[in-house]
Amino acid sequence: MSQKFISPYDHQAPEGAEGWKELYPYYMVFQENLKSTEESKFFFCDSQHWPQVFKPFDAITVEFAVKCLGQYNTRQWLIPPANGIDFKIHNGYCYMSPVGVAPELIADRVPQFMERAGHYFMNWNDLLENWHKKVKTVIDDMEAVTFEALPEVIDMEWVKNGVGLDPTYFMIQNYDKMIDLCYKTWQYHFEFLNLGYAAYLDFFGFCKETFPGIPDLSIAKMVQGVEVDLFRPDEELRILSKLAIELQVNNIITKHNVDAALAILAESEAGKTWLEAWEKAKYPWFNFTTGNGFYSTDKYWIEHLEIPFGYIQDYVIRLEKGETIDRPTEVIAAERERITEEYRDSIASEDAQAAFDGKIGLARVVFPYVENHNFYIEHWAMCVFWRKMRELANVFVQAGFFADPNDMFYFRREEIHQLLFDYGRGWAMGVPSIGPDYLPNEVARRKKIIDALSTAAPKPAFNEPPAVVTEPFTIMLWGITTESVQGWLSSGETTNQLKGMAASAGKVEGIARVINNPEELGLLQQGEILVTRVTAPSWAPVFGKIKATVTDIGGMMSHAAIVCREYGLPAVTGTGSASTTIKTGDLIQVDGSTGEVVILETA
C-alpha cells in the first residue's frame, strides 16, 4: 500500500485544460519555485465546502473565507494548537493544509486565548445580538446597491447640482462596494464560528478524559436538540403545508405548478390567507440556496419559487396520507437529557461535576451559532451578493459584452475593473467598447478550460499525510482521520464495505439513491437512503422521505451530521468514496452508531 499521495506537481490537468492556472490569482496555485516547500505539506481536497470546479470569479468565496478563518485563529483568538489554513486551487478544486502551532509555543498562547475568548464567552449573547445588527446592516447595504446601463446623456439635474462626476464613477464605486461588503461578510462569518468549535472541542476533550471510551456520537448527542435558525426555512414550509390542509386549498397546491397555483389561490379568501402566509415566509427565509452559497450558479428559493413550492407539495401529499411531517424535537431533546444525566451521574467528584456543567453549558450556548451563521452568511447575505453581481452582468449583456450573464463569472474579480472601464471608456468617447469584439473568444476559451477541468474528479489529497491525524478541527469538521486517510490510500481495492464517521445513531437497510447535485433531489423516493458527496442545509425538506444519509466527506460537526441528528436519521459521513462505490438501486445497510456501510445487494 502506498504511504503517500501524488504530488500536485505531478498531477496533470485533463486534456483541454491547458493554461488553467492563469484563471486564478498567483497566490492561489502551486508555484514551481516553491515545489520543495509545498511538497512538504499535506493537502486535502475540501469538497465539503467547494465540491465543484471554480469559475475564476467564484474563487472569491474560498479566497475570502479561508483568509478570514485564519486571521481569527492566528491573530485574534490565538487558538493554542491551531493557526490558519493554507489553501491552493489545483485543477480547479480547493485543497487545504491546516497550519499547526509549534508545540513549544502552545503553552504561551493559552492565557492569551483564555483572556480573548473568555471575553466573548462571558458576553456571548450581547455580542451576538450586535453581530446580528452588523450582518443585517451589510445585507441592507448590499440591497441598496444598484447597477444600471449607462444613459445616453447625463441627467440635467446632475448638471444643475454641479455633481461633477459621471455614472461610470458610481458604477465602479458600486462594484468596489459590493466586493468590500462581501469581504466584510466573511469577516463577520468567522467572528464567532471558531469560538463555537473551540467550546465544543473543549467539552469534547473533557469528556474523552473523564469518560474513557465514550463514543464521539454520545458527546455530540449532549448538545443536540437546540433550536437553530438554519432549520427555520424548512419549518416555514411545514407551517405552510399544514395551513393548506387547514384552509382546504391543498388540492390547488398539489395539482398545479407554482405560477398557476398562486394565481388560482388569489381568487378566493382562503387562498388569499394562504398567500399572505407565503409572502410573510419568503423574507428572509427564502433567501436559501439548494447549494452552499459559494458559487454564482447556486439557485436560491427566492429566485426559484418552484423549489420551496415543490417541497410544500411533497409535505401536503404526506399530510393527506396521514403522515407526520414534524421534526422529532421532543424525542431528540429527551435523548439529550437522558445521556447527559447518565454521564454526569457517573462523575464522583463534585468539582468535576461542576466543570462538566460549565463546559456543557457553554457548548450549548455557543452551539446554535455553529449552524445559524450559515443561514445569515452563506444563504441570505450571499444570495443578495450573487443577485447584485448578476444585475451587473446583465448590464454587460445589454452592452453586448456577453451573450449570457453567467459569462461574467469566467473573469477574476480584479478583471471586472477592466471590463467596467472599457464599457465606460467607449461610452465617454462615443465609440464602441472593445469588449463586444474581444470577449466572446476569451469567454469561449475559458469555458473550454473550466469544462475540461470538470471532467476529472479531484484527487482526495496530495503529498505525505501525517502518521496520525490529530488536528481537532480537521477531524471534527471534515471527518479526516488517520483511518479515512488510509482508506483513500487503498481506494483501488474492491470492497462491499465502507467505513466513515458514526455521525448520527441508528441502523437501517434500504435502497440507495445516489445524488450528485441538488437538481436530482426530486428523484428521491420514500424510504430510500441518500448517498452523496456532501449535503446542503437546504436539503432538509427531503429528510422526511429518506431512511438515512451517507456522505463522502464531513465529520461529526459537518452540516450533514448535525442535520441528521436533529431529524433523528442515521448518518455515516466521511466515507471517502460512497457516492462512487455505491450505485442507485443497491440494497445497503447503514449503521450510524458504528460508522459502517455495507452493500448487501447490487442493483
Side-chain angles (χ1 to χ4, degrees):
M1 182 188 300
S2 172
Q3 295 305 306
K4 64 186 300 185
F5 296 93
I6 188 175
S7 162
Y9 293 89
D10 296 330
H11 182 230
Q12 301 303 309
E15 184 178 352
E18 294 76 14
W20 68 268
K21 284 188 176 183
E22 68 187 55
L23 300 186
Y24 309 105
Y26 70 91
Y27 49 84
M28 292 175 69
V29 298
F30 291 105
Q31 298 292 342
E32 285 296 328
N33 62 319
L34 296 175
K35 182 176 180 180
S36 60
T37 300
E38 302 292 20
E39 286 188 330
S40 68
K41 305 173 185 176
F42 174 61
F43 284 88
F44 64 86
C45 183
D46 185 7
S47 51
Q48 174 171 305
H49 295 97
W50 291 281
Q52 304 166 30
V53 167
F54 288 107
K55 291 180 181 177
F57 189 93
D58 294 5
I60 191 175
T61 58
V62 67
E63 182 179 10
F64 286 178
V66 185
K67 181 270 177 188
C68 293
L69 181 157
Q71 77 192 41
Y72 281 104
N73 274 17
T74 310
R75 306 298 177 184
Q76 178 154 322
W77 305 129
L78 281 74
I79 290 180
N83 278 322
I85 299 178
D86 194 1
F87 70 101
K88 293 289 186 291
I89 291 179
H90 185 72
N91 287 349
Y93 292 98
C94 173
Y95 287 84
M96 301 281 203
S97 181
V99 182
V101 176
E104 65 272 17
L105 300 178
I106 291 177
D108 289 342
R109 289 169 67 125
V110 171
Q112 298 180 80
F113 171 74
M114 294 298 292
E115 179 183 10
R116 292 161 178 259
H119 174 75
Y120 263 66
F121 289 145
M122 288 187 294
N123 299 279
W124 188 270
N125 291 331
D126 289 341
L127 288 168
L128 188 57
E129 181 181 356
N130 187 52
W131 180 88
H132 279 278
K133 293 176 182 177
K134 292 186 298 188
V135 172
K136 185 59 167 62
T137 297
V138 169
I139 292 171
D140 290 343
D141 288 346
M142 285 185 179
E143 289 280 15
V145 172
T146 59
F147 293 101
E148 297 177 354
L150 296 174
E152 185 65 27
V153 295
I154 293 174
D155 191 280
M156 186 61 187
E157 289 302 309
W158 289 33
V159 177
K160 291 180 178 180
N161 293 330
V163 173
L165 300 167
D166 81 337
T168 67
Y169 172 83
F170 293 102
M171 180 175 283
I172 294 170
Q173 185 184 56
N174 281 347
Y175 174 72
D176 287 339
K177 184 175 184 179
M178 286 303 304
I179 299 301
D180 173 74
L181 289 169
C182 182
Y183 187 41
K184 185 181 286 188
T185 292
W186 287 101
Q187 297 267 333
Y188 291 154
H189 178 284
F190 290 98
E191 182 182 354
F192 289 80
L193 183 60
N194 300 8
L195 292 180
Y197 285 129
Y200 179 82
L201 286 167
D202 181 51
F203 174 63
F204 182 88
F206 176 87
C207 289
K208 285 292 187 180
E209 183 177 339
T210 307
F211 315 113
I214 184 174
D216 294 358
L217 185 55
S218 294
I219 302 173
K221 283 183 177 181
M222 286 191 253
V223 297
Q224 72 183 9
V226 180
E227 197 61 38
V228 295
D229 289 344
L230 189 63
F231 300 139
R232 182 67 179 275
D234 182 38
E235 175 65 22
E236 292 294 327
L237 300 186
R238 284 184 273 122
I239 290 172
L240 286 166
S241 302
K242 293 175 182 177
L243 182 61
I245 297 289
E246 179 185 329
L247 295 171
Q248 299 182 1
V249 296
N250 45 305
N251 281 340
I252 297 173
I253 288 172
T254 58
K255 303 298 183 184
H256 301 277
N257 64 35
V258 60
D259 293 331
L262 296 182
I264 297 171
L265 288 167
E267 296 174 357
S268 69
E269 288 304 313
K272 289 177 182 177
T273 299
W274 191 89
L275 286 175
E276 184 179 343
W278 162 267
E279 290 297 323
K280 186 176 180 180
K282 282 166 63 175
Y283 191 83
W285 306 113
F286 283 15
N287 290 287
F288 208 46
T289 174
T290 57
N292 53 23
F294 294 141
Y295 295 92
S296 57
T297 51
D298 284 353
K299 291 183 177 180
Y300 286 84
W301 289 8
I302 197 75
E303 298 167 329
H304 297 272
L305 294 177
E306 70 278 3
I307 296 172
F309 192 79
Y311 289 141
I312 290 173
Q313 288 178 318
D314 285 343
Y315 275 144
V316 170
I317 291 171
R318 290 175 58 195
L319 287 169
E320 290 174 338
K321 293 178 179 178
E323 298 178 17
T324 180
I325 62 172
D326 294 323
R327 193 158 53 90
T329 52
E330 292 183 4
V331 174
I332 291 167
E335 174 66 5
R336 177 191 68 212
E337 297 310 316
R338 182 197 67 78
I339 198 168
T340 300
E341 184 177 347
E342 179 181 305
Y343 277 102
R344 187 185 187 280
D345 288 347
S346 71
I347 302 174
S349 163
E350 289 187 5
D351 289 343
Q353 281 190 342
F356 175 87
D357 291 342
K359 291 179 186 297
I360 194 173
L362 178 61
R364 288 178 177 176
V365 167
V366 304
F367 177 76
Y369 181 85
V370 171
E371 287 298 278
N372 281 351
H373 80 278
N374 192 269
F375 174 76
Y376 293 99
I377 304 297
E378 281 96 322
H379 292 270
W380 191 359
M382 292 306 293
C383 173
V384 179
F385 175 77
W386 291 123
R387 175 157 46 82
K388 293 298 179 178
M389 288 299 94
R390 286 193 294 274
E391 191 176 296
L392 173 60
N394 279 314
V395 171
F396 284 124
V397 170
Q398 187 176 340
F401 276 54
F402 305 126
D404 185 322
N406 290 319
D407 291 348
M408 188 184 83
F409 301 109
Y410 286 93
F411 294 86
R412 297 190 304 275
R413 62 184 170 93
E414 69 272 16
E415 290 181 300
I416 304 302
H417 269 282
Q418 297 178 357
L419 303 184
L420 285 167
F421 205 83
D422 177 26
Y423 176 41
R425 169 185 169 277
W427 172 85
M429 296 188 300
V431 300
S433 299
I434 303 302
D437 291 313
Y438 170 75
L439 293 176
N441 288 337
E442 183 61 15
V443 169
R445 184 182 76 86
R446 296 186 182 202
K447 278 185 177 180
K448 181 180 176 183
I449 292 173
I450 297 298
D451 289 346
L453 291 174
S454 300
T455 63
K459 292 290 185 181
F462 291 127
N463 304 326
E464 185 173 357
V468 180
V469 179
T470 58
E471 205 283 312
F473 288 103
T474 305
I475 296 170
M476 299 305 299
L477 182 57
W478 285 285
I480 296 174
T481 63
T482 305
E483 187 176 42
S484 66
V485 169
Q486 288 304 314
W488 293 346
L489 286 168
S490 60
S491 60
E493 300 176 9
T494 301
T495 177
N496 70 331
Q497 295 184 324
L498 294 166
K499 181 69 175 169
M501 300 286 285
S504 185
K507 184 176 182 179
V508 297
E509 293 181 7
I511 300 300
R513 172 72 64 175
V514 180
I515 298 295
N516 294 308
N517 58 68
E519 283 69 32
E520 297 177 351
L521 287 173
L523 300 176
L524 272 168
Q525 301 298 309
Q526 193 74 30
E528 291 184 327
I529 295 174
L530 170 62
V531 180
T532 186
R533 289 176 67 184
V534 62
T535 67
S538 56
W539 293 15
V542 306
F543 283 11
K545 282 185 173 183
I546 62 178
K547 282 186 175 180
T549 299
V550 181
T551 69
D552 292 351
I553 47 183
M556 288 296 296
M557 296 299 284
S558 66
H559 294 305
I562 292 171
V563 172
C564 282
R565 289 196 293 270
E566 296 297 333
Y567 279 77
L569 291 172
V572 175
T573 60
T575 62
S577 59
S579 68
T580 52
T581 303
I582 299 170
K583 307 300 180 187
T584 292
D586 287 353
L587 177 64
I588 64 175
Q589 182 184 83
V590 178
D591 192 334
S593 302
T594 64
E596 296 172 336
V597 180
V598 181
I599 302 173
L600 301 175
E601 296 178 13
T602 57

